Amino acid sequence: MDVGALERQATDNQDVARALSVAREYSGRQEARKAEAVLRLILSGHPEHPEALHELGVIALRSGRPELAVPLLQRAVAGAPDLWTYHSNLGVACRAVGRQTEALAAYREALRLNPQSPACHHNVANLLRQTGDLDEAVAHYRQALAANPDYHPPRLPLAEILHGAGRTAEARRELKAIPATAPEAKAAAEALARMGNG
């Protein structure tokens, strides 16, 4: 469906669900401009529609415009405060613009809403590591792995912290647990080589 036809339909019927579906289709096909046009159409009639705000914020993030994403995602969170993905994406946007305190608060809220999510623990841990709170970062990396041992992204940063603390044997175990097919495999092999056989 073209944007013009959708605009006529949305104006006539206020078919927001259909418009959101079309926007997601465009977004999935990497047609961000068309998706944005549809989402802005929805927002012209429903300025605080949380899902449209969230989708538009995610598009802004993906296109390298986190400064535009932050206010959109803040409004989405205000309208749908129980959706952990909204908080998580707000955390990503805040972190991208250097608002670490707000990013950590958003990540923690996402984790509160979805405590078994390895990705939520990983996001909190990465930010804690960046701000120097290594003990709590380690705890969250370990919780991410406990939630899903096959979720490997936490292993490399966890190993780096452990190695830096002189716990090289533990670090090597984490790196060796990363399968050769994982995206982190090359970096893990390089880290193992730097650590030597100790």
Side-chain angles (χ1 to χ4, degrees):
M1 171 180 277
D2 69 53
V3 174
L6 179 63
E7 184 170 353
R8 287 187 298 276
Q9 179 182 353
T11 302
D12 294 342
N13 305 330
Q14 295 301 309
D15 189 359
V16 174
R18 172 81 175 120
L20 282 166
S21 176
V22 169
R24 280 192 219 95
E25 257 182 62
Y26 282 139
S27 192
R29 293 192 315 235
Q30 307 302 314
E31 296 182 67
R33 286 185 186 208
K34 288 182 179 179
E36 278 189 55
V38 172
L39 293 166
R40 291 195 186 286
L41 173 66
I42 294 167
L43 292 171
S44 70
H46 307 275
E48 297 306 315
H49 192 282
E51 197 170 352
L53 290 164
H54 179 256
E55 293 289 330
L56 199 55
V58 169
I59 289 171
L61 266 177
R62 288 182 183 155
S63 63
R65 300 173 293 161
E67 70 286 351
L68 297 177
V70 170
L72 292 166
L73 293 168
Q74 286 172 326
R75 287 166 57 200
V77 162
D82 294 333
L83 295 177
W84 72 270
T85 53
Y86 288 21
H87 291 277
S88 184
N89 286 327
L90 176 59
V92 171
C94 287
R95 186 174 182 192
V97 296
R99 292 160 62 171
Q100 310 301 15
T101 303
E102 290 172 71
L104 186 56
Y107 285 152
R108 285 188 189 279
E109 183 61 12
L111 183 59
R112 185 189 72 75
L113 293 166
N114 190 8
Q116 295 306 309
S117 166
C120 287
H121 281 290
H122 187 215
N123 286 339
V124 169
N126 283 341
L127 196 49
L128 290 168
R129 178 180 179 216
Q130 182 180 338
T131 59
D133 191 345
L134 299 184
D135 290 338
E136 192 178 354
V138 166
H140 280 285
Y141 286 132
R142 291 203 186 282
Q143 287 174 288
L145 293 168
N148 182 355
D150 295 326
Y151 179 72
H152 299 290
R155 293 190 188 281
L156 185 59
L158 174 58
E160 290 170 354
I161 293 172
L162 293 171
H163 180 63
R167 296 160 63 182
T168 303
E170 287 178 74
R172 291 178 62 78
R173 274 194 302 278
E174 291 299 338
L175 294 170
K176 287 179 179 180
I178 298 173
T181 55
E184 302 81 12
K186 182 179 178 192
E190 291 168 357
L192 277 166
R194 283 192 306 274
M195 288 178 195
N197 294 322

